[in-house]
Amino acid sequence: MVRVISVEHHRAEATALLGTRTPVRLPVAGCAGLILAEDVTADVSLPPFDNSAMDGYAVRAVDVAGASEDSPVELPVAEDIPAGRVDSPPLLPGTAHRIMTGAPMPPGADTVVMVEKTDGGTETVRVFAAVPPGNHLRRTGEDVQRGTTALTRGTLLGPAQVGLAAAVGLDSLVVYTPPRVLVVSTGTELVTAPNPLKHGQIYESNSVMLVAALRALGCEVETVRSVVDDVDEFRAVIEPKLAAADLLITSGGVSAGAYEVVKDALTGAGVEFRKVAMQPGGPQGLGRWNGVPVLTLPGNPVSSLVSFEVFVRPAVLASMGHSIVDRPRVRAKLTEALRSPAGKVQFRRGFYSHVDGEVTGEVGPRGGPGSHLLAAFAQANCLIVLPEEVTEAPQGAEVNVLLL
């Protein structure tokens, strides 16, 4: 007898099945979009030295204390200090050093006059404004102190984060990488476009959807499309490819009828098949085949994609070290009444819109509950979630909505 379990139970088992990926070290430039697997300690301070925040002149504040438009102070320019100059010529009292943005402050200087407050001279400079000590100065370590944690484990690495890692002197980071996924669609009735259809055949679309969804997570994906409903052929085609995969995802062949090739091939081989209390997407399976994690999804397109959203996506994200694996969830008022089967969580395709001035938005269904209505999914921007105990939700009722 097929075991019936809750959505939460199956999701937890799918997440546990994938576990957490083994961290690897990658060049910093290739880490954007990944999760950091260990803390990053700064080996240098940022900035690593006191430097100028402006193009201008490094001076002593006391030497320009009386400067004004009407009574400028004139100082000899003793040195030019461009960014990248590595020596530090000291500033003598009563002189100025012309300095560029990012250049190190010379010993003896305590402030910077921006070039706009001067005549821009190169031999001597006339200063038209008094400036306080510390003006336009970037102090050593004011951004990051040497020896402190610059980035913490679990951080999602975006452009700013990889930029910071490079700025503190790292050329590589230890990160969690996406799994390599083998996606298999099954069904003798499936035809790959643009080949012509015969009566009784349909175009294969599940693998296209699943590959797009997986690649959006950064996964490397190999596809085997339209495997016929023959157990021996299924094993012969798929088994040699398992060694190169971290995860096998199948669609189709898991229901209660005849010719359920995935169920027939993998029952007794480490994969358990069960029914999840949900609509659509009830028939599910998970386990390991030759040591490789396997998630088997139903074949109807909507069932397959809903199953991906509910089970596969969060499990894959968790395996990559993400702490936030769920789609954003909001509350919304139904624009029309909905019915749901008793004892099942129903996921209805819907369209959510925010209502100006209201705390909650509105959501209405797109299409019926049928698992074959893919066009309705293409028009949806969310999933309406009706819990197991709800059989009727009247118009105006507040419901949970997963934003896609």
Side-chain angles (χ1 to χ4, degrees), residues 332-350:
K333 294 180 180 179
L334 285 173
T335 59
E336 62 181 82
L338 294 179
R339 301 175 69 88
S340 181
K344 294 183 178 181
V345 180
Q346 187 182 64
F347 297 91
R348 288 289 296 270
R349 289 131 285 175

Side-chain angles (χ1 to χ4, degrees), residues 44-57:
V44 297
S45 294
L46 291 183
F49 48 83
D50 291 354
N51 68 87
S52 176
M54 288 284 179
D55 293 336
Y57 295 84

Side-chain angles (χ1 to χ4, degrees), residues 205-228:
S205 60
N206 284 5
S207 70
V208 178
M209 292 190 304
L210 295 173
V211 168
L214 288 161
R215 285 182 176 158
L217 303 181
C219 296
E220 176 186 334
V221 189
E222 181 182 357
T223 311
V224 180
R225 302 179 67 182
S226 308
V227 178
V228 298

Side-chain angles (χ1 to χ4, degrees), residues 7 18 21 29 32 55 58 73 97 121 123 125 173 177 181 193 199 211 224 292 330 348 396 404:
V7 170
L18 269 63
R21 304 269 297 149
D55 293 336
V73 169
H97 288 179
E123 300 293 330
V125 61
L173 293 170
T177 56
V181 186
H199 183 69
V211 168
V224 180
V292 177
V330 297
R348 288 289 296 270
L404 301 177

Side-chain angles (χ1 to χ4, degrees), residues 191-207:
V191 174
T192 304
N195 295 312
L197 293 177
K198 297 177 182 177
H199 183 69
Q201 295 180 326
I202 59 173
Y203 283 121
E204 194 281 317
S205 60
N206 284 5
S207 70

Side-chain angles (χ1 to χ4, degrees), residues 136-349:
H136 299 312
L137 274 189
R138 299 167 176 162
R139 296 294 187 185
T140 302
E142 71 176 45
D143 190 13
V144 177
Q145 290 282 344
R146 180 181 180 182
T148 63
T149 300
L151 293 167
T152 58
R153 179 182 182 274
T155 297
L156 175 61
L157 297 170
Q161 290 75 27
V162 297
L164 177 57
V168 297
L170 296 183
D171 64 352
S172 63
L173 293 170
V174 179
V175 293
Y176 299 103
T177 56
R180 299 166 300 171
V181 186
L182 176 62
V183 172
V184 178
S185 63
T186 66
T188 302
E189 76 279 12
L190 301 179
V191 174
T192 304
N195 295 312
L197 293 177
K198 297 177 182 177
H199 183 69
Q201 295 180 326
I202 59 173
Y203 283 121
E204 194 281 317
S205 60
N206 284 5
S207 70
V208 178
M209 292 190 304
L210 295 173
V211 168
L214 288 161
R215 285 182 176 158
L217 303 181
C219 296
E220 176 186 334
V221 189
E222 181 182 357
T223 311
V224 180
R225 302 179 67 182
S226 308
V227 178
V228 298
D229 294 326
D230 181 273
V231 169
D232 291 337
E233 183 166 344
F234 176 87
R235 289 174 175 157
V237 171
I238 306 306
E239 201 160 12
K241 297 179 178 293
L242 294 177
D246 301 309
L247 171 64
L248 168 63
I249 297 176
T250 68
S251 70
V254 295
S255 294
Y259 306 106
E260 303 295 346
V261 65
V262 175
K263 181 186 287 186
D264 293 342
L266 299 185
T267 296
V271 178
E272 178 191 345
F273 295 89
R274 71 270 298 263
K275 196 166 183 63
V276 178
M278 64 186 289
Q279 184 194 58
Q284 301 284 338
L286 57 74
R288 289 182 180 273
W289 184 21
N290 290 354
V292 177
V294 179
L295 295 174
T296 71
L297 311 182
N300 279 317
V302 174
S303 298
S304 191
L305 194 51
V306 167
S307 298
F308 180 90
E309 286 292 334
V310 177
F311 305 123
V312 181
R313 183 178 185 275
V316 169
L317 287 174
S319 77
M320 294 163 56
H322 288 259
S323 57
I324 299 174
V325 299
D326 292 316
R327 294 287 194 181
R329 183 184 293 260
V330 297
R331 296 283 284 176
K333 294 180 180 179
L334 285 173
T335 59
E336 62 181 82
L338 294 179
R339 301 175 69 88
S340 181
K344 294 183 178 181
V345 180
Q346 187 182 64
F347 297 91
R348 288 289 296 270
R349 289 131 285 175

